[in-house]
Amino acid sequence: MNDDRGWRGRAGTVFDCEKRSVEASQGMVVTNHPLASAAGAEMLAAGGNAIDATIAALFTLSVVEPMMVGIFGGGTALIHLASGEELIIDGLSTAPKSARPDSFKPVSDTWPMYMETEGRKNAVGPMAVAVPGNLKAWSETLERFGTFDLPTVMEPAIKHASRGFRVSQYLATTIDEMSGDLAQDREISKLLLPGGRPLKAGDKLVQGDFAQTLVEIAKQGPGLLYGGELGRRVGDLLQKAGSLVTESDLKEYATVQREPVRGVYRGIEIAGAAPPCSGGVHMTQILNLLEGYDIKGMGYGSPDTIHLILEAMKIAAADRRAATADPAFVDVPVEKLMSKSYADLRRAEISLERAGTFGPRVLSNESPNTTHVTIADRAGNIVTSTQTINSLFGARMIIPGTGIIPNNYMYLFDPHPGHALSLQPGKRITSTMSPLIARKDGRPIFALGLPGGPRLYGSALQAVVNLIDHGMSLQEAVEAPRVWTQGQDVELENRIPEHVRSAVADKGHKVVPVGHIAGGMCAISFKEDGDMTGAACWRADGMPAGLGGGPAREGVSFWPDPRRGR
């Protein structure tokens, strides 16, 4: 079956879709919160483009998804302009200048505690904060490619911060889950744990301090944080609290424009994010491995298809450590990893019958707690952007008087000196962010992305396979049950039937059923006539918002005499 009700394939898993896609002709906004989708749609309705809508949606998400994203975080955006040009804006966070490879004391040299440090200082509190890139990246992207000014696109976010909004069950659950850490910081506990009680679904969340910070930024621009009064105040507060981040770090932060990495899967070109984002490279690597098999003939959700996807993921995970680092510090073998010849070499290691071993487990603390937007306008501009403060509620604190929840990106650096991911001053964090745009005969046919930490790029590539090999509808592709591994336990979403899980286990995989893998995917597909379909999945509060209709027919008038328009 190929519609929004669910998948009834020839083999393996049968599933139902929980949400419905939206079709539109004038623009599409897909984000992981209805208010953010509405903010983006408002920009398109007002005559703005996809970039205007994206920045409005991201600022709004910093208010309504405070556990996932904020102006003191980092991210990456893959932009397809109406002219056909494609580029990446890298706003990922960097290590402070005072950071050193031994800034944190690790508690173990072996997995699973390898990345943990004494006192959890790289994960919670001021020491966990890295230099943020989001505010600068969002503002620069708007200035370069948008049509509206900063106050206009920030207006919805300011409104929701000052007036408040109703807490969703999704947000309430994350507050409850993190309440132990949140209670350790006076400012964030006042906001999210009033009276010592976690906010519940339906409660109203007002963020007065953050609203005022957004108002000041709207008036004065990003320089207020990067070299201005807010930067001085924040730098001083963080320094006094024990952070490595200084006013000078903020002032000297710079975004990077990069070229997308590109691969081809069964004749479809896939453009993705470049290092230090590893998702584009290793997603392409896995697709190259799968291209040597009849995935369509094996059927979606069959034990053989799942086995091959898992084996390809394990090979990519074994290689990923060499490629997941800031290219300014590490020589990343991108061309080799993405080459068809390298895939041919590694494919020979795969057994169709038994699970193999392809190298050590990748060391990563990257959090699945991220957000994503995919947005397109009628003119042909497309933005697919993944943004985060890393863990749920970042460093689990608020910078006093600002309402800002800072990132805990220091948690992503290897606390052991001498490795590709080890902490170095000025080094950009490494991420699996995988925004992608697929083109056929030069024309975009779909764009998508999602949050999900190390599970992110594996989930994105499964959506690509669902669309290209299995012919799923967009809604089916984003909601379909997912699988994941990095070489040890194999996670299969529990909607995959037990008999399929057993057959996968019989091939030698250590299967662990899980509720969900990665987060809410946001996707748009494009028809040749310019119409588009938007879809969001059940793993987050995502909602597509499309614009149809259009202006009145030229010449329509009711004064002085409408009969003239006959």
Side-chain angles (χ1 to χ4, degrees), residues 1-55:
M1 190 173 73
N2 190 10
D3 62 24
D4 274 8
R5 292 188 296 276
W7 181 255
R8 302 289 186 272
R10 292 180 291 105
T13 300
V14 174
F15 67 90
D16 295 324
C17 290
E18 297 187 24
K19 297 187 180 183
R20 296 291 180 265
S21 60
V22 168
E23 296 187 3
S25 59
Q26 301 301 313
M28 184 67 67
V29 179
V30 191
T31 82
N32 274 328
H33 196 284
L35 292 177
S37 296
E42 180 182 345
M43 297 302 118
L44 295 180
N49 64 15
I51 293 82
D52 299 313
T54 296
I55 306 307

Side-chain angles (χ1 to χ4, degrees), residues 58-219:
L58 290 174
F59 273 112
T60 302
L61 284 167
S62 74
V63 174
V64 299
E65 267 200 326
M67 69 290 201
M68 300 293 186
V69 64
I71 62 173
F72 224 80
T76 190
L78 173 58
I79 302 172
H80 175 97
L81 297 174
S83 64
E85 180 185 1
E86 288 181 340
L87 64 143
I88 294 165
I89 300 298
D90 176 346
L92 295 170
S93 293
T94 62
K97 290 181 296 183
S98 61
R100 296 293 179 266
D102 61 353
S103 289
F104 300 97
K105 188 173 182 179
V107 299
S108 176
D109 293 332
T110 59
W111 191 265
M113 298 298 291
Y114 180 91
M115 299 288 278
E116 303 302 315
T117 65
E118 287 188 356
R120 300 175 66 209
K121 289 185 177 180
N122 65 337
V124 179
M127 278 283 288
V129 181
V131 185
N134 270 352
L135 178 59
K136 178 165 279 194
W138 299 353
S139 302
E140 289 181 353
T141 300
L142 179 71
E143 184 176 5
R144 291 179 63 186
F145 307 113
T147 65
F148 290 157
D149 58 20
L150 196 58
T152 300
V153 301
M154 291 183 68
E155 186 176 351
I158 294 169
K159 176 181 67 177
H160 295 308
S162 61
R163 296 182 183 178
F165 65 97
R166 298 296 176 185
V167 172
S168 71
Q169 184 61 59
Y170 186 40
L171 173 53
T173 298
T174 64
I175 295 172
D176 185 60
E177 289 175 344
M178 295 298 109
S179 59
D181 281 345
L182 299 176
Q184 303 306 308
D185 181 75
R186 188 174 67 89
E187 295 295 325
I188 202 167
S189 61
K190 281 195 307 182
L191 182 69
L192 302 177
L193 309 174
R197 178 189 67 86
L199 291 173
K200 297 186 181 302
D203 287 347
K204 192 173 185 181
L205 176 57
V206 176
Q207 301 169 70
D209 285 347
F210 191 47
Q212 185 55 44
T213 295
L214 293 177
V215 167
E216 293 172 2
I217 291 170
K219 290 178 180 178

Side-chain angles (χ1 to χ4, degrees), residues 7 9-15 298-303 306 495-497 499-500:
W7 181 255
R10 292 180 291 105
T13 300
V14 174
F15 67 90
M298 292 178 179
Y300 169 78
S302 70
I306 291 174
R495 292 184 303 160
I496 295 173
H499 73 274
V500 174

Side-chain angles (χ1 to χ4, degrees), residues 232-547:
R232 289 190 293 273
R233 182 156 45 106
V234 164
D236 181 60
L237 288 167
L238 286 175
Q239 283 277 287
K240 288 179 179 177
S243 175
L244 298 175
V245 175
T246 67
E247 175 191 347
S248 176
D249 287 315
L250 294 168
K251 186 176 183 179
E252 296 177 17
Y253 178 86
T255 61
V256 179
Q257 179 174 322
R258 303 186 189 275
E259 286 294 316
V261 296
R262 301 182 189 279
V264 177
Y265 182 65
R266 306 197 196 280
I268 305 298
E269 181 186 82
I270 311 289
C277 287
S278 63
V281 172
H282 294 289
M283 182 175 59
T284 300
Q285 180 187 12
I286 294 171
L287 290 172
N288 286 342
L289 288 165
L290 296 178
E291 197 170 36
Y293 301 97
D294 181 11
I295 300 298
K296 179 180 180 180
M298 292 178 179
Y300 169 78
S302 70
D304 287 342
T305 298
I306 291 174
H307 168 72
L308 285 175
I309 290 174
L310 293 171
E311 295 298 275
M313 285 181 173
K314 285 153 65 175
I315 290 174
D319 283 336
R320 181 173 165 241
R321 193 173 187 181
T324 50
D326 185 345
F329 290 78
V330 176
D331 186 14
V332 183
V334 172
E335 291 186 9
K336 176 182 178 180
L337 290 167
M338 295 182 63
S339 70
K340 301 288 188 182
S341 60
Y342 185 65
D344 293 341
L345 180 69
R346 298 305 305 264
R347 194 183 302 114
E349 303 173 31
I350 297 175
S351 165
L352 296 176
E353 305 301 326
R354 296 296 298 172
T357 301
F358 303 100
R361 185 184 180 117
V362 173
L363 304 172
S364 175
N365 271 345
E366 187 177 2
S367 169
N369 306 301
T370 305
T371 197
H372 185 89
V373 304
T374 303
I375 297 175
D377 61 34
R378 180 67 183 184
N381 299 294
I382 305 167
V383 183
T384 176
S385 180
T386 311
Q387 306 284 331
T388 187
I389 50 176
N390 196 39
S391 296
L392 282 174
F393 301 103
R396 293 162 194 169
M397 58 178 285
I398 282 179
I399 301 172
T402 69
I404 296 172
I405 301 174
N407 68 79
N408 69 334
Y409 263 134
M410 299 297 275
Y411 197 41
L412 298 190
F413 291 105
D414 188 338
H416 302 77
H419 303 292
L421 295 178
S422 296
L423 188 58
Q424 291 177 262
K427 194 176 194 177
R428 263 175 155 72
I429 63 98
T430 297
S431 171
T432 55
M433 291 178 179
S434 302
L436 67 89
I437 296 174
R439 296 193 298 184
K440 184 177 182 180
D441 300 325
R443 180 182 66 83
I445 56 173
F446 63 81
L448 58 84
L450 76 161
R455 295 165 178 79
L456 194 161
Y457 70 101
S459 299
L461 79 90
Q462 288 173 75
V464 172
V465 170
N466 291 342
L467 290 165
I468 295 176
D469 286 312
H470 301 306
M472 289 188 185
S473 71
L474 193 69
Q475 192 66 46
E476 291 165 352
V478 303
E479 293 208 32
R482 300 169 184 167
V483 305
W484 180 79
T485 187
Q486 287 193 125
Q488 294 189 3
D489 291 354
V490 164
E491 296 180 3
L492 303 184
E493 287 190 344
N494 54 26
R495 292 184 303 160
I496 295 173
E498 193 278 332
H499 73 274
V500 174
R501 300 199 301 265
S502 295
V504 172
D506 288 343
K507 291 180 179 289
H509 297 283
K510 184 180 178 182
V511 172
V512 178
V514 296
H516 69 92
I517 292 171
M521 188 173 290
C522 301
I524 301 175
S525 62
F526 305 92
K527 297 180 180 179
E528 289 191 42
D529 63 3
D531 285 358
M532 54 198 82
T533 300
C537 85
W538 57 268
R539 298 171 184 88
D541 289 332
M543 186 186 79
L547 276 71

